[in-house]
């Protein structure tokens, strides 16, 4: 014990000397000082080793604590006796702990139960999503991100599930505040698309505006540039694949559920004659506040032989804001999309149930407040009102064949998220559809993310 | 004692000058920023005993996690200005290195981010966000949602950093407070 | 091989010149092979056309076929098949070839207005079904039962033949068609044909040493001719141009298309697909399934004089293998509607002879059955009189537009029927703006 204190004070003195005394021109004195520093290095090495181990463990027992303390004491006492300092080992240990784990597996999943209020026989439970994510850091500046997803539990020729690659890109930091990525990545649009884990949003099902209008989870393949500034401003620019108007199926209802969702390519043998551009700006200068906007535009005809919509263009823009200073969490979003150059296409689809819309839009406001919280649990009720229209306007058609725009859908959602720890959430909500009350439904869900 | 190899010497210098390419601040720069009046800094190897760890857990609401904490004391001549504690937490995928500057009465003076590599949540480095920590103790106001605002899109990062600051403030309260 | 090579524009010019002579002697556009008389005009025509025509349209897609049908690059088998198709000597009468009833000038279907044609040795034996068009059959799949248990595909009106080659044997032997005495009979006639050397070149000098092989090669040649010659699938109707954005439909035609597509009005699109495929392929106006329309009995067909005689399609009696599947009695193949406006008689039994009546029948069959079916002595309508009473329930009464009752308004008004008819006229090949 005495030895411990002696060594400890010796080390302190050494380190103090190292930081404050100027270097001596005298070689012998220099060597002596170096040897002292070597001893200090041993102490630091032991400390770092212990520190690193503790960083990895979360749970601690009394046994572990006392063992660690004893270990530290022993390490410090042997340090003084050691003459060979393996300083490079210390340097490597330093590097290892500063750069963190090289390969990280992440995951999120959600299981939902839905019961229409007026139709018991349509109650349904679904493993909506199971996702595994992989991040691997090659070096300080370069990493790759991958995300793989299974929807609806089972995928086969006879089943309705889907398995897909949601993200697959590499990212490289060009310099501080500027990074570039290439591959299949999420479009920086809206509030939900980049932040779509079940623990990140309120309500069992993702909101309609950001599924029907902004086709979350929306990803494209191409290049992107991201810049961040100290004043809280983040901007994104990108050149990627876009939509394919030739996928529009007038005989299916997919296009009226989500116009862009029915013609997205998702990096699957994606036609790339016509590329799309996007730009996004987000400002988080004030703590708790996010304000942002984005725009995405690109042609969608791809020069198809005998194509009737080769000049068609899809454009989507959005504005969003989120204010989450403490217990209160307010969000608002407005988005609108247009498809131009589809007049001739709609003539060929005349009489079919789903013509191509010229514009579609949606907005919502959402308010949540954390009413109860303990160390581990929290309860946040919320309310959301959304209004959207997947066919707000149509192209002109000859007399007698005019297309009637759809009616705005209005949906109110009331519910609560119950958080367990950091990564688990239980959800319950009730959704009221003003246009068609036969769609009113109760939802329960469990989700996790890590 | 054997003379050290030149390699070791270089590595030694590397450690004390901390010139990693992606670091925003070195340890020296951080301590200088937090205590601009200080004219010398002394490392203070901090070790918690079992009793102290229990107390920290009680105050912070979090396990104390480590026995040893890298601490540097700042002095102006012989007067103690305060302490700087260095720590690392994982954001979502990546390690975040940060430093908490504390006054001798264990209130937070300043928080600095040394390295940040996550793809989202750079706003943690904004002075505005870090200013929220100033003047608080572990007893109140150092929790996301209660005194510290969330950063949209980087909830995990700012929660972990906030928890880290609170833990360090509690440790300071238990061990360093005069 | 040669045919496919020509799809690439670069090889085109080469094959065009190589085959110029061959096509100068081609037997095209004839109702009756008297090419010696028309030889010179055809040489001139072929020469000028092959110099002018685009090669094979646009590469992979067969949408824009060659303007006049002069095809370059058919395989040797297909070229022989073309000759066999038009060879009247291969029949008992010596006056009937495939082309006699399947006239290339009229969408490869009949040009007369008979419900059923007359064949046999003296061209006096009546058939039992109307002549179908041979156009746009190249994408028809073989007969099978789909996932929903319903039949899909196959050739002829009951899906009996799995492919065009097998189908071609029936007319050679049928008593009411070419009435040959068996394969040997046909092969013997083949050996006396003017193009027998071409046949030997295509299939081997000793091809005739085995009768069956020779006959089957002849069937194969006929199949290849129908598959390879773009004259059978030119995709150059006004509707095709419209789909490519290169033509506009008149108001009436557009209204007709709208009614055709609308699932609550005509709902024709349910079986007669009018949309491009997911791979961009042009619509064929059939989904290759079968439907039971309860078409009225056509007493002009001599066989119907026997009250017990019923042509029931998929369950027989012409087709023998599915006699037990009585749920399909009365079901006939959904034909393509391309060139429907050129037809002289409609439905499997040729009951109708104008398109307007046909479209009206779809929408008024159930609201006004007395317009279509005979009345019994007590005044009631003998609905679905071309099916035994036991199978009358097989008739489709669930799908729009034949899901209505007497007294209700028909799904289409008379004007709307006219619009649909004018739209159907845009499906005729050989549109010239």
């Amino acid at each position: 014990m005495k030895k411990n204190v002696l060594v400890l004070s010796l080390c302190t003195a050494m380190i103090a000397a190292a930081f404050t005394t100027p270097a001596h021109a005298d070689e012998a004195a220099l060597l002596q000082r170096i040897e002292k520093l070597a001893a200090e290095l041993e102490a630091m090495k032991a400390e770092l080793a212990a520190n690193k181990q503790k960083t990895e463990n979360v749970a601690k027992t009394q046994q572990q604590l006392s063992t660690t303390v004893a270990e530290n004491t022993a390490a410090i006492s042997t340090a003084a006796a050691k003459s060979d300092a393996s300083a490079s080992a210390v340097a490597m240990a330093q590097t290892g702990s500063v750069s963190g784990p090289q390969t990280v597996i992440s995951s999120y999943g959600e299981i939902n139960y839905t019961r229409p209020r007026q139709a018991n026989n349509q109650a349904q439970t679904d493993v909506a999503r199971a996702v595994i994510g992989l991040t691997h850091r090659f070096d300080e500046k370069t990493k790759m991100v991958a995300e793989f997803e299974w929807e609806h539990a089972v995928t086969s020729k006879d089943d309705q599930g889907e398995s897909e690659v949601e993200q697959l890109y590499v990212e490289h930091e060009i310099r501080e505040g500027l990074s570039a990525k290439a591959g299949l990545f999420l479009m920086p649009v809206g509030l939900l698309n980049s932040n779509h884990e079940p623990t990140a949003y309120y309500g069992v099902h993702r909101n309609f505006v950001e599924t029907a209008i902004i086709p979350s989870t929306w990803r494209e393949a191409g290049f992107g540039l991201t810049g961040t500034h100290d004043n809280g401003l983040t901007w994104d620019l990108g050149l990627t694949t876009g939509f394919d108007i030739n996928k529009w199926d007038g005989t299916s209802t997919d296009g009226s559920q989500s116009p862009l969702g029915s013609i997205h390519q998702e990096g699957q043998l994606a036609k790339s004659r016509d590329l799309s551009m996007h730009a996004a700006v987000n400002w988080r200068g004030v703590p708790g506040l996010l304000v942002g906007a984005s725009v995405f535009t690109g042609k969608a005809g791809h020069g198809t032989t005998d194509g009737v919509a080769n000049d068609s263009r899809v454009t989507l823009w959005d504005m969003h804001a989120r204010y989450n200073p403490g217990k209160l969490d307010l969000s608002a979003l407005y988005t609108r999309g247009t498809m131009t150059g589809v007049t001739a296409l709609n003539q060929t689809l005349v009489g079919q149930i789903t013509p191509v819309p010229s514009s579609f839009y949606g907005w919502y406001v959402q308010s949540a407040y954390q009413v109860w919280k303990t160390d581990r649990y929290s309860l946040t009720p919320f309310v959301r009102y959304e209004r959207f229209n997947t066919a707000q306007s149509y192209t002109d058609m000859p007399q007698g064949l005019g297309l009637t725009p759809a009616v705005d859908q209005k949906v109110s959602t009331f519910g609560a998220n119950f958080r367990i720890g950091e990564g688990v959430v239980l959800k319950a909500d009730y959704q009221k559809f003003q246009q068609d009350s036969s769609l009113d439904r109760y939802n329960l869900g469990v989700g996790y993310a890590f | 004692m054997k003379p050290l190899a030149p390699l070791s010497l270089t590595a030694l210098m590397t450690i004390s000058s901390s010139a990693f390419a992606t670091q925003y601040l070195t340890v020296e720069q951080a301590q200088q920023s937090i205590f601009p009046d200080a004219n010398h800094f002394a490392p203070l190897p901090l070790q918690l005993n079992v009793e102290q760890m229990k107390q920290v857990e009680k105050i912070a609401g979090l396990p104390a996690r480590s026995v040893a904490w890298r601490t540097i004391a700042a002095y102006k001549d012989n007067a103690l200005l305060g302490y700087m504690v260095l720590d690392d937490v994982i954001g979502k995928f990546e390690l975040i290195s940060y430093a908490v500057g504390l006054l001798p009465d264990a209130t937070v003076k300043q928080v600095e981010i040394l390295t940040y590599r996550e793809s989202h949540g750079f706003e943690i480095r904004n002075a505005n966000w870090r200013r929220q920590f100033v003047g608080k103790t572990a007893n109140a106001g150092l929790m996301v949602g209660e005194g510290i605002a969330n950063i949209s899109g980087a909830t995990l990062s700012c929660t972990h950093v906030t928890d880290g600051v609170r833990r360090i403030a509690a440790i300071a309260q238990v061990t360093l407070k005069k | 091989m040669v045919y496919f090579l020509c799809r690439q524009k670069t090889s085109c010019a080469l094959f065009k010149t190589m085959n110029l002579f061959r096509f100068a002697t081609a037997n095209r556009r004839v109702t009756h092979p008297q090419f010696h008389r028309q030889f010179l005009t055809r040489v001139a025509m072929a020469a000028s056309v092959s110099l002018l025509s685009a090669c094979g349209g646009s590469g992979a897609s067969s949408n824009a076929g060659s303007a006049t049908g002069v095809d370059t690059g058919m395989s040797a088998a297909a070229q022989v098949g073309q000759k066999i198709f038009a060879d009247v000597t291969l029949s008992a009468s010596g006056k009937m070839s495939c082309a006699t009833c399947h006239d290339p000038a009229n969408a490869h279907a009949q040009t007369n207005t008979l419900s059923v044609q007359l064949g046999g040795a003296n061209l006096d034996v009546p058939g039992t079904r109307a002549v179908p068009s041979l156009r746009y059959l190249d994408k028809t799949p073989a007969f099978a039962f789909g996932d929903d248990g319903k039949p899909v595909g196959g050739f002829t009106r009951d899906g009996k033949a799995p492919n065009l080659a097998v189908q071609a044997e029936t007319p050679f032997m049928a008593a009411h068609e070419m009435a040959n005495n068996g394969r040997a009979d046909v092969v013997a006639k083949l050996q006396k044909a003017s193009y027998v050397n071409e046949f030997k070149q295509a299939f081997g000098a000793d091809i005739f040493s085995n009768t069956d092989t020779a006959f089957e090669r002849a069937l194969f040649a006929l199949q290849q001719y129908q598959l390879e010659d773009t004259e059978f699938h030119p995709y150059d109707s006004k509707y095709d141009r419209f789909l490519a954005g290169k033509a506009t439909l008149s108001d009436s035609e557009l209204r007709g298309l709208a009614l055709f597509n609308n699932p609550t009005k005509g709902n024709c699109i349910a079986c007669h697909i009018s949309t491009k495929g997911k791979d961009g392929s042009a619509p064929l106006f059939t989904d290759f399934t079968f439907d039971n329309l309860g078409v009225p009995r056509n007493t002009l067909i001599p066989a119907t004089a026997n009250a017990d005689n019923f042509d029931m399609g998929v369950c027989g009696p012409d087709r023998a293998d599915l006699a037990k599947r009585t749920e399909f009695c009365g079901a006939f193949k959904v034909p393509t509607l391309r060139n429907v406006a050129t037809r002289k008689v409609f439905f499997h039994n040729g009951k109708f002879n104008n398109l307007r009546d046909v479209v009206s029948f779809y929408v008024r069959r159930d609201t006004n059955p007395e317009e279509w079916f005979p009345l019994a002595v007590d005044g009631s309508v003998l609905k679905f009189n071309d099916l035994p009473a036991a199978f009358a329930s097989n008739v489709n009464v669930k799908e729009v537009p034949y899901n209505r009752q007497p007294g209700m308004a028909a799904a289409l008004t008379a004007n709307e029927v006219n619009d649909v008819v004018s739209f159907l006229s845009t499906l005729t090949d050989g549109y010239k703006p």
Side-chain angles (χ1 to χ4, degrees):
Chain A
M1 205 55 204
K2 245 169 133 180
K3 197 179 177 190
N4 186 11
V5 172
L6 180 70
V7 171
L8 209 60
S9 43
L10 190 70
C11 287
T12 314
M14 301 285 183
I15 293 167
F19 278 97
T20 56
T21 0
H24 292 284
D26 187 50
E27 207 175 273
L30 188 66
L31 276 168
Q32 203 186 26
R33 182 162 164 254
I34 288 169
E35 285 172 18
K36 284 182 191 162
L37 287 170
E40 289 158 25
L41 273 166
E42 274 307 308
M44 283 172 75
K45 172 191 166 187
E47 240 186 78
L48 278 162
N51 215 18
K52 188 182 177 197
Q53 193 192 343
K54 295 309 165 282
T55 308
E56 287 161 13
N57 294 333
V58 178
K60 240 172 275 306
T61 62
Q62 241 180 11
Q63 195 76 317
Q64 252 188 323
L65 290 175
S66 42
T67 317
T68 316
V69 170
E71 274 175 15
N72 283 348
T73 316
I76 290 164
S77 59
T78 53
K82 270 205 176 159
S83 49
D84 278 331
S86 185
S88 52
V90 182
M92 269 160 40
Q94 181 90 327
T95 319
S97 65
V98 167
S99 60
Q102 278 202 290
T103 310
V104 177
I105 295 179
S106 62
S107 169
Y108 70 85
E110 36 185 280
I111 300 163
N112 305 331
Y113 165 85
T114 302
R115 174 160 109 68
R117 182 171 61 91
Q118 291 167 0
N120 260 353
N121 58 0
Q122 282 174 32
Q124 180 187 85
T125 308
D126 183 35
V127 180
R129 278 179 189 90
V131 178
I132 294 187
L134 206 62
T135 312
H136 176 79
R137 180 162 278 287
F138 298 96
D139 57 50
E140 282 149 7
K141 288 187 175 290
T142 320
K143 69 178 187 186
M144 63 71 70
V145 174
E147 211 170 271
F148 307 102
E149 181 184 51
W150 287 266
E151 284 184 41
H152 312 304
V154 189
T155 308
S156 81
K157 175 175 160 286
D158 302 318
D159 291 296
Q160 291 169 285
E162 272 184 43
S163 57
E164 54 233 319
V165 176
E166 238 185 48
Q167 296 181 69
L168 195 70
Y169 67 90
V170 294
E171 188 170 337
H172 181 78
E173 187 183 319
I174 298 171
R175 59 155 209 268
E176 186 190 322
L178 185 67
S179 67
K181 52 186 175 238
L184 184 75
F185 55 94
L186 299 174
M187 293 294 100
V189 176
L191 291 168
L192 185 71
N193 202 44
S194 314
N195 210 18
H196 50 260
E197 295 84 5
T199 46
Y201 62 88
Y202 298 103
V204 175
H205 298 283
R206 298 176 178 183
N207 71 74
F208 285 99
V209 175
E210 293 190 272
T211 41
I213 310 294
I214 299 175
S216 301
T217 314
W218 180 16
R219 62 259 187 193
E220 300 284 355
F223 298 98
L225 211 58
T226 306
T228 59
H229 299 267
D230 284 343
N231 57 8
L233 195 71
T234 312
W235 56 263
D236 293 89
L237 276 181
L239 182 69
T240 63
T241 52
F243 297 98
D244 179 12
I245 196 72
N246 303 292
K247 289 178 83 160
W248 190 273
D249 184 356
T251 60
S252 146
T253 54
D254 287 352
S256 64
Q257 307 237 330
S258 173
L260 294 184
S262 68
I263 57 172
H264 61 188
Q265 303 200 79
E266 296 177 300
Q268 181 188 149
L269 301 167
K271 295 187 190 165
S272 304
R273 182 195 179 272
D274 293 325
L275 296 178
S276 299
M277 290 193 343
H278 67 263
V281 149
N282 283 285
W283 182 71
R284 294 179 178 88
V286 171
L289 180 65
L290 161 66
V291 174
S294 74
V295 65
F296 178 101
T297 182
K299 286 176 74 167
H302 302 285
T304 310
T305 314
D306 287 338
V308 71
N310 281 342
D311 282 331
S312 62
R313 172 175 283 275
V314 175
T315 305
L316 184 77
W317 60 272
D318 100 283
M319 303 185 304
H320 52 267
R322 184 172 174 201
Y323 184 53
N324 186 14
K327 295 194 197 289
L328 182 65
D329 191 348
L330 293 173
S331 314
L333 181 144
Y334 178 90
T335 178
R336 188 163 188 272
T338 54
M339 298 216 258
T340 59
V342 294
T343 310
L345 176 59
N346 265 349
Q347 285 215 359
T348 67
L349 300 178
V350 72
Q352 292 179 32
I353 52 176
T354 314
V356 179
S358 290
S359 69
F360 37 92
Y361 88 105
W363 60 263
Y364 72 84
V365 289
Q366 176 180 275
S367 164
Y369 192 83
Q370 186 185 83
V371 296
W372 176 77
K373 180 183 156 86
T374 67
D375 279 349
R376 245 180 245 283
Y377 310 107
S378 74
L379 179 68
T380 310
F382 73 94
V383 61
R384 175 172 68 234
Y385 178 74
E386 3 181 12
R387 189 161 166 161
F388 62 99
N389 191 330
T390 55
Q392 186 192 24
S393 68
Y394 282 111
T395 54
D396 282 334
M397 292 284 277
Q399 180 77 312
L401 296 167
L403 299 166
T404 314
V407 176
D408 281 5
Q409 301 294 309
K410 300 173 195 161
V411 183
S412 310
T413 310
F414 316 89
N417 279 16
F418 181 76
R419 260 193 115 121
I420 300 175
E422 200 174 64
V424 177
V425 65
L426 300 177
K427 303 179 180 183
D429 67 57
Y430 171 67
Q431 292 186 296
K432 196 158 148 21
F433 294 76
Q434 232 160 304
Q435 265 29 62
D436 181 359
S437 63
S438 72
L439 298 172
D440 290 355
R441 57 191 189 182
Y442 300 98
N443 304 301
L444 292 177
V446 59
Y448 75 90
F450 67 86
Chain B
M1 282 193 192
K2 273 203 306 205
L4 291 173
L7 177 66
S8 323
L9 190 62
T10 321
L12 187 68
M13 284 169 64
T14 316
I15 291 165
S16 53
S17 64
S18 296
F20 286 117
T22 54
Q23 247 182 332
Y24 299 111
L25 286 179
T26 64
V27 173
E28 278 75 24
Q29 288 168 334
Q31 67 195 21
Q32 212 56 56
S33 164
I34 296 173
F35 299 107
D37 294 336
N39 54 23
H40 82 259
F41 297 93
L44 184 73
L46 189 56
Q47 301 239 338
L48 301 175
N49 60 34
V50 171
E51 188 52 48
Q52 288 168 323
M53 291 181 85
K54 278 198 206 162
Q55 274 185 288
V56 164
E57 186 162 344
K58 195 156 168 289
I59 296 171
L62 295 165
R65 205 193 72 200
S66 293
V67 170
W69 289 86
R70 289 173 286 157
T71 314
I72 295 174
Y75 295 93
K76 185 182 167 98
D77 302 321
N78 282 327
L80 175 70
L81 295 179
Y83 309 95
M84 180 177 82
V85 182
L86 299 160
D87 189 23
D88 305 304
V89 286
I90 300 244
K92 191 171 181 192
F93 304 120
E94 313 265 11
L95 210 64
I96 305 171
S97 294
Y98 66 105
V100 182
L102 302 142
L103 295 174
D105 63 358
T107 55
V108 177
K109 185 176 196 293
Q110 194 171 319
V111 172
E112 289 290 345
I113 308 291
L114 275 59
T115 60
Y116 189 82
R117 262 199 224 88
E118 294 282 357
S119 300
H120 302 280
F122 290 95
E123 297 76 21
I124 278 179
R125 295 177 43 228
N126 293 355
N128 283 344
W129 191 78
R130 292 182 289 115
R131 204 171 293 129
Q132 300 177 94
F133 293 94
V134 176
K136 295 181 178 172
T137 66
N139 296 325
L142 281 183
M143 203 174 291
V144 170
E146 280 169 47
I148 306 295
N150 182 31
I151 293 173
S152 184
T155 309
L156 286 178
S157 289
C158 62
T159 305
H160 295 162
V161 168
T162 306
D163 288 347
V165 173
R166 186 167 77 258
R167 182 190 286 115
I168 288 170
I171 288 168
Q173 203 169 312
V174 166
T175 60
L176 298 172
K177 185 172 178 175
K178 301 265 191 298
Chain C
M1 189 58 192
V2 162
Y3 178 69
F4 289 114
L5 281 174
C6 192
R7 288 306 204 186
Q8 317 305 318
K9 284 202 155 99
T10 45
S11 335
C12 218
L14 179 64
F15 284 109
K16 271 212 251 219
T17 42
M18 272 171 62
N19 291 299
L20 190 55
F21 173 72
R22 217 182 257 172
F23 280 89
T25 58
N27 226 356
R28 292 186 158 277
R29 300 230 176 268
V30 285
T31 53
H32 202 73
Q34 292 170 29
F35 68 95
H36 289 294
R37 271 189 291 172
Q38 298 165 22
F39 177 79
L40 284 167
T41 33
R42 219 168 306 112
V43 169
M45 210 172 73
S48 51
V49 158
S50 55
L51 284 171
L52 290 170
S53 68
C55 180
S58 47
S61 124
S62 53
N63 269 354
S66 53
T68 57
V70 173
D71 215 69
T72 51
M74 288 204 297
S75 66
Q79 289 179 41
V80 169
Q82 187 175 17
K83 300 206 161 67
I84 296 173
F85 191 88
D87 188 0
V88 291
T89 66
L90 299 176
S91 60
S93 62
K95 296 183 192 151
M96 181 184 264
S97 70
C98 314
T100 309
C101 302
H102 298 286
D103 190 340
N106 196 36
H108 291 87
Q110 71 199 67
T111 46
N112 60 37
T113 54
L114 300 175
S115 299
V116 292
Q117 303 299 309
L118 298 166
N122 297 317
L123 297 182
D124 57 2
V125 180
T128 52
R129 288 183 184 159
V131 175
S133 164
L134 293 184
R135 292 217 178 166
Y136 298 102
L137 295 178
D138 55 317
K139 301 244 164 58
T140 306
F143 183 86
F145 284 93
D147 287 337
D148 55 0
K150 302 231 176 92
V152 179
F155 294 84
T156 71
R157 294 188 182 274
D158 50 24
K160 186 169 68 174
N163 56 50
L164 288 167
V166 170
Q167 181 276 323
E169 177 159 11
T170 310
F172 273 122
M173 311 305 175
H176 61 272
E177 294 179 269
M178 289 153 84
N180 290 296
N181 285 329
R183 291 180 163 202
D185 188 11
V186 177
V187 170
K189 287 170 177 155
L190 202 50
Q191 282 180 292
K192 297 197 201 106
S194 59
Y195 48 86
V196 63
N197 287 332
E198 214 180 303
F199 191 89
K200 286 183 183 166
Q201 260 182 337
F203 299 114
D206 58 346
I207 184 67
F208 289 107
S209 58
N210 182 320
T211 309
D212 276 331
T213 315
F215 183 75
E216 280 163 17
R217 287 296 88 191
L219 297 182
F220 175 75
L222 282 167
Q223 172 182 281
Q224 290 312 106
Y225 169 53
Q226 291 173 77
L227 291 179
E228 292 177 28
D229 191 349
T230 54
E231 222 191 28
F232 284 92
H233 35 268
Y235 295 104
D236 58 356
S237 68
K238 185 176 184 185
Y239 185 65
D240 289 308
R241 311 294 294 150
F242 166 70
L243 284 183
K246 299 197 172 72
T248 45
L249 297 185
S250 72
D251 287 348
S252 173
E253 290 162 354
L254 202 59
R255 285 197 301 269
L257 174 59
L259 295 163
F260 188 95
N261 288 339
N262 190 333
T264 60
K265 294 292 283 181
N267 194 30
C268 320
I269 197 177
C271 296
H272 297 286
I273 313 296
S274 61
T275 53
K276 282 190 179 179
K278 288 249 182 297
D279 55 353
S281 57
L284 287 174
F285 284 87
T286 171
D287 58 359
F288 313 114
T289 60
F290 294 73
D291 201 4
N292 188 334
L293 295 178
V295 173
R297 196 172 175 84
N298 185 1
T299 50
L300 292 177
I301 299 177
T304 60
N306 178 355
D308 294 326
N309 182 293
F310 294 98
D311 181 4
M312 297 189 288
V314 172
C315 82
D318 197 48
R319 180 176 183 150
D321 59 333
L322 295 173
K324 292 213 173 74
R325 303 296 301 267
T326 54
E327 70 267 34
F328 300 124
C329 285
F332 290 88
K333 189 121 158 298
V334 173
T336 179
L337 291 184
R338 286 178 173 272
N339 296 305
V340 70
T342 64
R343 289 193 64 75
K344 307 295 183 195
V345 296
F346 300 85
F347 292 128
H348 69 277
N349 60 1
K351 171 69 180 172
F352 296 93
N353 58 21
N354 74 84
L355 194 49
R356 218 185 156 286
D357 280 351
V358 170
V359 179
S360 294
F361 172 72
Y362 274 93
V363 297
R364 296 177 73 82
R365 182 195 76 186
D366 304 285
T367 58
N368 297 81
E370 69 281 358
E371 288 175 12
W372 313 101
F373 300 97
L375 299 174
V377 276
D378 63 355
S380 64
V381 182
L382 292 168
K383 219 174 167 196
F384 308 143
N385 64 337
D386 205 18
L387 274 176
F391 303 133
S393 57
N394 288 348
V395 176
N396 191 337
V397 295
K398 294 206 186 72
E399 278 185 85
V400 173
Y402 18 72
N403 57 348
R404 300 198 177 202
Q405 308 295 330
M408 288 169 78
L412 298 176
T413 66
N415 282 337
E416 288 172 336
V417 169
N418 287 337
D419 286 336
V420 172
V421 171
S422 76
F423 162 68
L424 291 176
S425 306
T426 67
L427 303 180
T428 305
D429 288 333
Y431 173 68
K432 286 174 185 26

